[in-house]
Amino acid sequence: MATSNDYGTADQTEKALSLDATDINTQQSTTSPRTDDDKSGKSQLSDVANQVDTNIVATSVKEEAKTTTNPSYDKEEPNQSYDKEETKEEKKQDIGNISPSGGSLESGMLSNAHTIFNSAEAKQFHIQGSFKSHWAEYVQQPFITAKVNTHEGKEEVINFANPLAPRRIYVGLKIKRISDIDNVRETYRCRFHMYFDWLLTKEGYESYVDYTSNRKNKKLEWYPPFRPRYEFLNIVEAHMFEEVDYGIEGPYRVQRIKDFAKDLVGFDAEKAFMCRMRLEVDATFCEELELENFPVDCQDFSVVMREGWGTKRAIFVPELRTKKGKPSDFARVDPSFSVLDEWEFHNSRIEFRSSDPRESRSDTEYFMLTIRFKMRRRYSVYMWNIVLYMFFIALLSLSCFSLSNVEIVGERMGLA
């Protein structure tokens, strides 16, 4: 399966700080064992030693946060224009490190992200119910407001995503081509591109401002602290799978998307900065075909994608934009370049839903996005190329009964 596990050094601190308290206690208990003679000695020195052990463990956790590397972004390009000492996102955590009022959360909460998103403050943003019945709550992004100096050189009051609420990832997509439908292998090939838009937190936007102020007209290599984690569950082979650059702006573009529907998303898009990412995919997917009614059958060809953060931290929702005051389609299918000699494209649909927590070993609920293409087989191809020929062959075999001569009656079996 193709996943978006490529997360840069911004997530390194989160990985190190997410150690459970039980792991730290285990390290404390195994760092400096005490003998019976020591215990019977001076109790004050024992207390001092325990305090030193605690400091050693805390120091080792910090050193692990600095030295842990992600193999996906560990390889630096020769033309890499950013300086790691200047990137603020390597030292800060975008999710869970600022309070709803805009200030920093206490450092104790950073030690366990699971605890943060299960806290009483975060639970008020959890949504109970399906996307079908509670879609208005799903698409609305909780936000805060703060006055900041923008990268445009102005001081403005900007809307930022609430770090304790699940991040709404607004999805837009365009299907470019469907081809290579294989009835035997039960696979098909599809090419499409997807857009991911999400509202930045105050901390995430400040890291972007700090980075852009020092890049000196070089290609932007900034990576936001929060990025979507996506996984295609039914992929067989990835022919192309990449995050496309926006020229000098790099793969992540920070901009105002002013045509977002304010009455649905909740925040004023004209006073907010959103991060936009484009994913280009050309892959072979598997699909179980129902061939009971072959060749007069219809099939659903699907692309199943899962968000890897979990529903408490991120969810997929449709991109709610308007065009000249009217709602715009967030998903489009262009069948003009599809190679479908045997099939007719009927329609398509996009499904948003949550997974069953019982399917996960950790009982985690993930958000799912499923793209379905309804295809109808052209049975006339089989009627003219197979059924008609078989009919004439069977009809010619009946000519054996026209042989009435007794001497050649034995040839009937050969003609049949």
Side-chain angles (χ1 to χ4, degrees), residues 179-189 284-287 289 291 301 342-343 377:
S179 61
D180 299 344
I181 299 177
D182 194 325
N183 294 321
V184 178
R185 297 182 180 179
E186 296 185 309
T187 60
Y188 76 101
R189 185 169 176 175
T284 298
F285 299 90
C286 63
E287 180 66 37
L289 302 181
L291 302 174
F301 296 94
E342 188 181 329
W343 297 85
R377 193 187 302 271

Side-chain angles (χ1 to χ4, degrees), residues 85-116:
E85 296 180 356
E86 298 176 356
T87 54
K88 198 172 183 179
E89 61 270 19
E90 292 183 356
K91 303 178 182 179
K92 296 186 177 180
Q93 170 67 17
D94 183 49
I95 296 183
N97 62 350
I98 58 176
S99 64
S101 61
S104 299
L105 291 172
E106 295 184 3
S107 58
M109 296 184 67
L110 286 173
S111 62
N112 198 330
H114 179 75
T115 304
I116 295 174

Side-chain angles (χ1 to χ4, degrees), residues 120-156:
E121 293 83 358
K123 285 184 177 180
Q124 62 179 320
F125 302 110
H126 295 177
I127 303 174
Q128 303 296 330
S130 64
F131 185 86
K132 181 179 180 181
S133 58
H134 296 76
W135 65 268
E137 298 179 41
Y138 276 96
V139 301
Q140 193 171 61
Q141 172 68 63
F143 66 96
I144 60 174
T145 58
K147 181 180 289 187
V148 296
N149 293 320
T150 67
H151 66 284
E152 300 171 345
K154 302 177 183 178
E155 186 179 16
E156 298 182 50

